[in-house]
Amino acid sequence: MDFQQGLIATIHDYGLGKLDLPDFRRQLRQRPTSLLIPCLMEEFSRPALGLIREVLAELSGLEELVIALSAETSDDVAAAEAFFADMPFPVRVHWTNGPAVAESLQSLQTLGLNVTGPPGKGWAVWQGLGVACRNAEIVGLFDADIRTFSPAYPQRMLRPLLDPSLGVAYVKAFYSRLSLETQSLHGRATRLFVGPLLTSLEQIFGPMPYLRYLQSFRYPLAGEFAFTRDLAMNLRIPSDWGLEIGLLSEVYRHVAPRRIAQVDLGLFDHKHKTLGNAPSEGLQRMAGEIFATVLRGLMEHEGRMLSPDQIPTLEVLFRRVGEDRVQQFGLDSAINRLPYNRHSEELAVQSFATLLRPKVEDLMAAPVAHQLPSWSRLLCCTERLQADLAEAGQKRNITAAPNRTPRRHHHRPLMACPPRRPATAA
């Protein structure tokens, strides 16, 4: 914990626990605020979403909760709606891959717009933003698998935006990723890939505003963030694992650093992704797509790209910086008495390093990424798209969802709703 500031304003957690739920509810009523949770149906069989529901049930001033749901049948959607029944605010379960949504989005192809996928978090976030921004001035996003969700999360992330006098347009979360079971460090993609990558690129290119901006974020891959409606409506949405870095790149394009803040949410745990056995699997696939997103950002914002003769330098620098970080995290873990497997961390750095050369070559062959267009761009073509998409996401008359994922999930019954705690007077 510290109190230092930098390019991006940092809201620290000083451990004083000063939350004020009645005042937070009052602020929510004064400035319409929606929350967006992109969600797979399988999350309803896990405890994390139940915890999130119980915390959010206290936010009686919320404008709307939008669940951007990928589901196979209308019965699944109905079960999700039942799961969020009796909340003290409207809950909209938006069926992202439902037949009516597919039909609505396919109709845009006549205008030369391809917004039909690929399915994934980026596509869900893009749809959810379109739906949530119809009525809200502030939109906050949380993942559905957060196992440590607490009342501090929404309060600390949304408060900087609820007071217009603070001048904040975008808030990004950061936290300490620790396993609830073992207390070991998680977040390898951030610790062992993004951090060493940005340091290495800075050594190659020298100080650059875009690299300095990315390095200012304590956890650039955090999937929890919030923004004003005018900003959300003007962001292009990446549709791969480069979503979080890609959104930071979009925010850099639209917002001055003084209007950005990052907020400490403390300890944090959610699903842990494996490294994978090949570049197309697990964290290796994620790292490759993040790397491509960072390089595209350099091309777009700085007009720079790695040349073929710079690739060996990047490979050498990345391994050296990565190995130094492993030693640093080992020291941090030792003093805090956390378990630490240095060998597996070293292997992860090696695996990430092998991705660099082929990903640069792939990027040179196909430099333009598929991004979902901003909502302001789409509304220039069809003013009713937001309303039509919201309506389509509510249609349940057809049960077979298109673009079904190859792996079929067998779901356990949804968790029963535990008794509600009495609401505290606002």
Side-chain angles (χ1 to χ4, degrees):
M1 182 191 306
D2 60 33
F3 49 79
Q4 301 296 333
Q5 295 291 340
L7 177 67
I8 303 300
T10 299
I11 302 169
H12 299 87
D13 181 2
Y14 293 119
L16 301 177
K18 293 186 176 182
L19 301 177
D20 188 339
L21 181 58
D23 183 63
F24 185 48
R25 288 171 173 164
R26 178 189 59 80
Q27 287 185 302
L28 290 173
R29 293 189 183 100
Q30 290 180 340
R31 196 166 192 193
T33 301
S34 292
L35 290 180
L36 167 62
I37 300 179
C39 190
L40 299 173
M41 196 64 208
E42 63 192 56
E43 300 299 344
F44 286 85
S45 63
R46 298 188 175 116
L49 196 56
L51 172 63
I52 293 170
R53 177 191 59 190
E54 289 308 302
V55 171
L56 296 184
E58 300 295 328
L59 305 186
S60 56
L62 198 65
E63 177 75 15
E64 185 178 45
L65 172 63
V66 177
I67 306 297
L69 178 66
S70 174
E72 294 187 354
T73 68
S74 59
D75 288 342
D76 285 342
V77 181
E81 290 173 333
F83 184 84
F84 285 102
D86 301 324
M87 298 292 272
F89 44 75
V91 178
R92 175 181 290 270
V93 177
H94 177 80
W95 192 6
T96 60
N97 60 329
V101 166
E103 182 180 356
S104 176
L105 297 182
Q106 285 170 357
S107 68
L108 295 178
Q109 292 182 353
T110 60
L111 300 174
L113 296 169
N114 180 12
V115 293
T116 57
K121 182 181 176 181
W123 195 50
V125 169
W126 175 79
Q127 288 193 47
L129 285 180
V131 172
C133 286
R134 294 175 305 123
N135 302 315
E137 295 180 19
I138 303 295
V139 178
L141 188 143
F142 289 101
D143 284 335
D145 60 351
I146 304 172
R147 304 169 64 201
T148 51
F149 200 86
S150 79
Y153 285 14
Q155 287 201 42
R156 290 177 60 79
M157 202 167 77
L158 293 174
R159 277 186 183 275
L161 294 161
L162 291 173
D163 184 351
S165 68
L166 298 177
V168 176
Y170 180 76
V171 175
K172 176 86 164 176
F174 70 95
Y175 31 69
S176 300
R177 283 280 316 273
L178 292 178
S179 166
L180 285 178
E181 288 77 22
T182 67
Q183 296 186 328
S184 59
L185 293 174
H186 279 186
R188 287 175 295 174
T190 294
R191 293 188 296 108
L192 303 179
F193 182 71
V194 174
L197 173 67
L198 295 178
T199 298
S200 301
L201 289 174
E202 184 180 42
Q203 291 189 49
I204 292 173
F205 291 118
M208 284 188 172
Y210 179 63
L211 290 176
R212 182 191 175 206
Y213 164 81
L214 290 181
Q215 290 175 301
S216 298
F217 289 94
R218 306 289 183 89
Y219 205 112
L221 299 187
E224 293 69 38
F225 41 84
F227 26 44
T228 59
R229 176 172 58 191
D230 60 337
L231 176 58
M233 291 288 289
N234 284 282
L235 299 178
R236 298 172 298 175
I237 305 296
S239 55
D240 59 13
W241 283 111
L243 171 64
E244 284 78 18
I245 288 287
L247 280 177
L248 286 181
S249 181
E250 284 291 290
V251 171
Y252 179 80
R253 179 182 174 214
H254 289 280
V255 179
R258 61 181 176 78
R259 301 195 64 206
I260 302 171
Q262 57 182 336
V263 58
D264 187 356
L265 297 186
L267 295 179
F268 187 98
D269 190 20
H270 64 183
K271 281 187 303 188
H272 183 57
K273 188 177 290 295
T274 63
L275 184 64
N277 297 317
S280 60
E281 298 176 0
L283 288 180
Q284 293 187 63
R285 176 182 176 184
M286 177 188 291
E289 294 178 0
I290 290 168
F291 180 39
T293 303
V294 170
L295 292 183
R296 287 191 184 97
L298 279 172
M299 295 166 71
E300 186 169 296
H301 302 300
E302 303 287 358
R304 300 293 295 274
M305 178 57 187
L306 284 168
S307 62
D309 60 346
Q310 289 174 321
I311 297 176
T313 304
L314 176 63
E315 291 175 316
V316 170
L317 283 173
F318 179 87
R319 284 179 180 269
R320 189 208 69 198
V321 176
E323 290 166 359
D324 290 346
R325 295 293 170 89
V326 168
Q327 185 176 18
Q328 291 172 329
F329 289 121
L331 174 61
D332 193 6
S333 296
I335 300 305
N336 283 284
R337 302 187 67 81
L338 305 179
Y340 190 74
N341 188 330
R342 177 169 179 172
H343 177 59
S344 67
E345 299 264 293
E346 295 274 7
L347 292 178
V349 170
Q350 293 176 25
S351 295
F352 291 146
T354 62
L355 301 171
L356 301 176
R357 182 180 295 269
K359 283 299 175 182
V360 172
E361 294 170 351
D362 291 346
L363 182 64
M364 295 297 290
V368 179
H370 176 67
Q371 290 178 308
L372 294 160
S374 70
W375 277 96
S376 62
R377 159 80 172 88
L378 292 172
L379 294 180
C380 292
C381 302
T382 168
E383 294 181 356
R384 280 197 49 82
L385 180 58
Q386 277 180 290
D388 290 345
L389 181 64
E391 180 181 350
Q394 296 285 286
K395 289 184 178 179
R396 313 284 187 254
N397 57 325
I398 305 175
T399 58
N403 296 325
R404 188 173 296 177
T405 54
R407 179 170 61 90
R408 186 180 181 85
H409 301 291
H410 299 280
H411 310 302
R412 299 189 296 273
L414 299 188
M415 293 179 292
C417 298
R420 298 286 181 202
R421 296 188 297 271
T424 305

